[in-house]
Amino acid sequence: MATKKPANPTLPTAIPQTPDGVDSVVLERRAQKIEPPQMYQVAMLNDDFTPMEFVVMVIQEFFSKDRESATQIMLKIHLDGKGVCGVYSRDVATTKVDQVLDAAKQAGHPLQCVCEPIE
């Protein structure tokens, strides 16, 4: 059985050669458009059973607000039915919601907290 000698491979004509005969490839840098991550707002919902002082304490503890800001947010929750406590990335927002719900459950309050995407 006779085998043929393989032909010598040829270089594609699209690859430019430098003056000294070395092959080179030039890569073009393209700017990528990176969008910022989707942000979520953490909101507390009003109920008729959770004490206002507990809501203020939770806002101060988990959202790092001073007493005056926490009181203003609590009043917004009480008067409007819902108040935004902060805006975060999805993972941070869900963690904050879980922390608030756990604290409310441990204290025996029906306080509700949700995270909603910002449009």
Side-chain angles (χ1 to χ4, degrees):
M1 165 169 19
T3 59
K4 290 185 180 180
K5 183 178 177 185
N8 288 335
T10 58
L11 293 175
T13 57
I15 298 177
Q17 291 188 350
T18 58
D20 58 354
V22 178
D23 297 334
S24 65
V25 176
V26 177
L27 298 178
E28 207 173 293
R29 181 176 291 207
R30 293 183 184 168
Q32 292 181 345
K33 293 183 181 179
I34 299 174
E35 295 182 13
Q38 173 74 43
M39 299 301 283
Y40 290 78
Q41 64 185 12
V42 178
M44 285 191 200
L45 307 177
N46 187 39
D47 64 69
D48 294 333
F49 305 103
T50 305
M52 292 180 179
E53 190 58 38
F54 179 77
V55 174
V56 170
M57 186 270 306
V58 165
I59 294 170
Q60 285 180 297
E61 184 175 337
F62 297 113
F63 299 98
S64 303
K65 303 289 184 183
D66 58 46
R67 184 150 183 89
E68 185 176 333
S69 298
T71 303
Q72 291 298 320
I73 294 169
M74 179 273 301
L75 288 173
K76 179 147 180 68
I77 294 167
H78 181 69
L79 297 174
D80 297 344
K82 179 170 91 170
V84 176
C85 300
V87 176
Y88 307 96
S89 64
R90 187 184 75 204
D91 294 339
V92 174
T94 55
T95 300
K96 297 273 186 193
V97 168
D98 291 341
Q99 290 174 334
V100 170
L101 294 177
D102 287 344
K105 185 177 180 181
Q106 287 179 0
H109 299 300
L111 180 64
Q112 292 297 307
C113 187
V114 296
C115 67
E116 306 166 334
I118 296 178
E119 317 256 328

